[in-house]
Every structure is written in C-alpha cells, then in structure tokens.
C-alpha cells in the first residue's frame, strides 16, 4: 500500500489485514498493533493503536453516521475538537492534548482536511455549533497557509504535493462550500493546477487516463489506482461523500488540446473501469522481498474506485466491483474497524445500495458499535444539500436507509 485516505501511514490495522488478505478476500492472522498510549479515550472510535489514524478514522465515522441519519455522541465530537492545535491544524493523533502543539508536532494535511469536513457535517446537531464553526474556519485557514506553490498539498507541511493529499483537501473544501478554484496559492496556482500535473494522457501505453501519486525520481508519471480514485472525485469537485452522477454515462478517455481537470477526472474513471474489469477488484503488488509473489485483492481501494466511478456517472461499470465487495469485505472490515466500515458505507451510498444489507452485513450497526453510541436518527430535519446536515435525506428517501460516507479517502496507504 502506498497511499490514500488513511492518514499518515495508512490505517495501521487495515494495512495489516490487506497484507494478509488472500485471493478470496479473507484475512489471515496478523498481529494487531497495541495502543502505544495506554488506555484509549472513551470518545474515540476503534480499539487499535490510533497513532497514525486516530483523527482520520474518527472523522470518517462521523461522516458515515451523518450519512445514515445518526449524530455522533457529544463526547466523540468533543474528542475530535480537542485534537485540534491552536493554529487550526490536526496531527494524526495527539495522546496528551493538555500539552500544546509545538514545532515537533507532526501536523497532517490529510487529518486536518477530513476533520474539517467531519466537524462541518455534525455541526447542526452538535452541542456547541459555535465552537465547531471556529474549528472549521481555523482548519481551513491553516490549510491555505501551507498550500504549496503549485497549488497542491503534500502529506506533511512543506512536503512535495501529491495527488492523494491534494484530493483530500479539495474534497473538504467542496463539502464545506468553498470553491477549490478560489483556493489559490500566492503564485496564483489552484489545487486543480496541481492535479493536472499528475494526470497521464490517454496516449500513455501503460496508464491511459490515470493519475500518478507523484512523479518518480526521473520525473515520470506512473499510474496509481488509489491516486486515480481520489483525483477523479476531486477533479469533479466532489468529496468522499459523493453520490452517483446523473445521467449515467460510460467512461471514456479523451485528450483535449487544452486539458481541463474535469476531462482528466473522466479519463481517470476510464482507467479505473478497465482496471476493475480484469478481476472485479483492484490488486496489491507483491511486497518487496516477499516470498509469495501473488497479487492480493486491494479491498479498500476497490471501494474507493466504486465511489469514483459512480460519481463520474459510470454506475454500471462499478456494479461488479460492488458485488465483489459485498462477498469479500467482511473480514477486512472487521479487522480494519471504523474507517473500513465507513469506506464500505461510502461505496454503498454512492451506488444507491442499502448499507444495512451489504451482503450479509449491517454496516451501519457494525460501525456504530466501534465507538460511543450515537444519538438516535433525526428524521425531523431533512436536508437535500451536501453540507453540514450530513445528507440526512438519504435516510428517508427510497428504502428508508441508505448510506454513509467516509473514507478512505482518502488513506489506503498514503506516504508520510
């Protein structure tokens, strides 16, 4: 794994499972990281070591709960608020929040962006909406302050821009009502300028239409499915809570004389559809030095690809991969915990699939069981907009329960 949504090094637990996942998608026994911080806070979701993904998994859990009509418990919201540094940034996890952030605190653009989005989503039913407004603004201001000259972001402050981190920030901006094109660097470059620099042309023999995570040491762009799924959403101006586009359209790859980020996003969807068509899922390459050279299913990034395809209008092309996830993701989600459940809820939501009947699993119940019991679904105030309401209308319309969001994103192994 070398990217996306799970914050610093990728969900520690999810990474362990993915590396131990066989061709059938079942997890083999793997040692789970023990909490390095002693007893975990009661407001935190999940039981695994939160060092690398505490804020990430908490935020995805919030987004998924709001998407299914639940409001996170007040103590869970307070925990996330308490993780914020005075300058508005978030680290992946702060074990002792009584100590102020200092120069040694590893501030994280991915954690900051997803926390901003999650706090914005829970604001309406939060005990202290004013405090959340302040936190969201401070987080957004900090992200602007650390934007790179090329318009993008790296995982850490000052790090070279990458497609995944830039996409996570774009998603948060879009979800909080900020036009990404208005978020320009001092040099006048926007996040979309940065994303276009990672896009491969349709004429590329090995990765037509894909996005690279970053250029390699020689400056060459290499196709990366994880980065592509993230960039497709960002290029379309959408976040990890995206729903299917209408009308539906088959993905195609077309090079324009003057590239646009929207066209690049659709080209990325074309790449993903072809990658999924081979086996019904994405795969992980063999680990360096591993004796077993067989490729393994990449469950998390397959879920991300389903969301990206649905958001681009390619729901039909996403359907086989969604069906594969329903049959093969249970063990992975159980081991991965809150963020993994949220990723699957996200895939269900994007394709109008009931997350309470995801194969044989009730993803909503399983997610809620990983943390403080959320508040009862609120059906009295319904919103149709993708804003702080958390998309409650999806709980009411259609089958009465739909979906939730989260993940992932943007973490399946992001480089720190």
């Amino acid at each position: 794994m070398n990217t996306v949504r799970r914050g610093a090094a990728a969900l520690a637990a999810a990474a362990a499972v993915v590396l131990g996942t066989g061709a059938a998608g079942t997890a083999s026994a793997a040692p789970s990281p023990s909490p390095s911080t002693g007893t975990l806070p009661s407001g935190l979701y999940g039981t695994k070591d939160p060092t690398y993904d505490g804020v990430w998994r908490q935020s995805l859990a919030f987004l998924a709960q709001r998407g299914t009509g639940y409001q996170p418990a007040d103590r869970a919201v307070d925990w996330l608020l308490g993780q914020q540094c005075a300058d508005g940034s978030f680290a992946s996890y702060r074990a002792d929040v009584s100590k102020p952030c200092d120069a040694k605190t590893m501030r994280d653009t991915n954690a900051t962006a997803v926390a901003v989005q999650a706090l914005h989503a829970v604001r309406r039913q939060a005990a202290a909406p004013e405090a959340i407004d302040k936190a969201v603004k401070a987080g957004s201001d900090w992200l602007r302050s650390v934007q790179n000259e090329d318009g993008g972001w790296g995982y850490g402050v000052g790090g070279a821009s990458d497609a995944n981190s830039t996409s996570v920030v774009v998603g948060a901006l879009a979800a909080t009502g900020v036009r990404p094109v208005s978020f320009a660097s001092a040099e006048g470059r926007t996040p979309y300028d940065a994303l276009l620099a990672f896009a491969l042309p349709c004429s590329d023999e090995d990765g037509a239409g894909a996005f690279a995570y970053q250029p390699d040491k020689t400056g060459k762009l290499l196709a990366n499915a994880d980065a592509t799924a993230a960039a497709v959403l960002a290029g379309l101006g959408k976040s990890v809570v995206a729903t299917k586009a209408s009308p539906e359209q088959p993905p195609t790859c077309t090079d324009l004389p003057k590239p646009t980020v929207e066209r690049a996003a659709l080209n990325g969807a074309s790449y993903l559809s072809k990658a999924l068509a081979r086996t019904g899922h994405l795969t992980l390459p063999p680990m360096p030095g591993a004796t077993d050279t067989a490729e393994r299913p990449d469950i998390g990034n397959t879920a991300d690809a389903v969301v990206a395809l649905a958001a681009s209008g390619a729901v039909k092309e996403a359907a086989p991969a969604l069906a594969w996830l329903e049959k093969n993701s249970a063990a992975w989600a159980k081991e991965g915990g809150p963020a993994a459940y949220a990723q699957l809820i996200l895939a269900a939501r994007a394709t109008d699939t009931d997350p309470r009947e995801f194969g044989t699993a009730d993803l909503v119940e399983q997610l809620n069981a990983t943390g403080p019991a959320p508040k009862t679904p609120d059906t009295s105030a319904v919103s149709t907009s993708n804003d702080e309401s958390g998309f409650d209308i999806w709980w009411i319309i259609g089958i009465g329960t739909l979906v939730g969001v989260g993940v992932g994103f943007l973490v399946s192994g992001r480089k720190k």
Side-chain angles (χ1 to χ4, degrees), residues 101-129:
C101 300
D102 56 24
K104 295 182 180 179
T105 302
M106 296 296 292
R107 291 162 171 81
D108 173 350
T109 62
N110 291 226
T112 301
V114 75
V116 163
Q117 182 175 349
L119 289 170
H120 180 75
V122 303
R123 177 195 182 279
R124 181 167 57 79
Q125 295 183 41

Side-chain angles (χ1 to χ4, degrees), residues 33-40 48-52 93 95:
S34 57
S36 60
T37 54
T39 303
L40 295 178
K48 300 293 180 67
D49 184 350
T51 301
Y52 299 111
Y93 175 69

Side-chain angles (χ1 to χ4, degrees), residues 13-297:
V17 174
V18 170
L19 295 179
T21 300
T26 57
S28 59
S32 300
S34 57
S36 60
T37 54
T39 303
L40 295 178
S42 63
L44 175 66
Y45 280 80
T47 59
K48 300 293 180 67
D49 184 350
T51 301
Y52 299 111
D53 78 326
V55 168
W56 183 269
R57 75 195 194 201
Q58 189 87 347
S59 299
L60 291 188
F62 284 9
L63 290 169
Q65 286 180 328
R66 293 305 296 134
T68 52
Y70 287 90
Q71 171 72 7
D74 290 339
R75 61 186 167 126
V77 176
D78 289 343
W79 181 87
L80 185 57
L81 283 170
Q83 288 287 303
Q84 190 172 35
C85 298
D87 62 3
S89 66
F90 285 79
S92 295
Y93 175 69
R94 294 170 59 203
D96 185 358
V97 295
S98 66
K99 298 179 180 179
C101 300
D102 56 24
K104 295 182 180 179
T105 302
M106 296 296 292
R107 291 162 171 81
D108 173 350
T109 62
N110 291 226
T112 301
V114 75
V116 163
Q117 182 175 349
L119 289 170
H120 180 75
V122 303
R123 177 195 182 279
R124 181 167 57 79
Q125 295 183 41
E130 296 81 7
I132 289 180
D133 288 339
K134 182 179 179 181
V136 168
K137 183 180 186 305
S140 296
D141 289 346
W142 181 81
L143 288 169
R144 183 183 286 274
S145 74
V146 298
Q147 186 176 19
N148 290 333
E149 292 182 1
D150 63 4
W153 288 266
Y155 175 81
V157 179
S161 296
D162 65 76
N164 294 76
S165 297
T166 301
S167 296
V168 176
V169 176
V170 169
L173 296 177
T176 55
V178 178
R179 297 176 65 246
V181 292
S182 70
F183 223 74
S185 66
E187 292 71 25
R189 301 291 185 87
T190 74
Y192 288 155
D193 291 322
L195 283 179
L196 280 173
F198 302 123
L200 279 73
C202 297
S203 58
D204 189 276
E205 184 176 347
D206 298 320
F211 284 79
Y213 175 74
Q214 287 177 326
D216 67 10
K217 294 181 179 179
T218 67
K220 181 178 177 59
L221 297 178
L222 300 176
N224 182 302
D226 186 33
T228 302
V232 166
L233 288 176
L236 296 173
K238 300 180 180 182
S239 74
V240 294
V241 300
T243 54
K244 69 177 184 179
S246 181
E248 295 184 17
Q249 57 182 340
T252 60
C253 197
T254 304
D255 286 329
L256 299 178
K258 184 176 181 180
T260 67
V261 71
E262 295 85 0
R263 184 63 253 175
L266 295 175
N267 291 347
S270 175
Y271 171 83
L272 291 175
S273 69
K274 294 176 181 178
L276 288 174
R278 298 188 187 103
T279 59
H281 58 78
L282 298 179
T283 58
L284 288 164
M287 290 295 292
T291 56
D292 182 2
T293 59
E295 291 186 333
R296 293 173 170 80

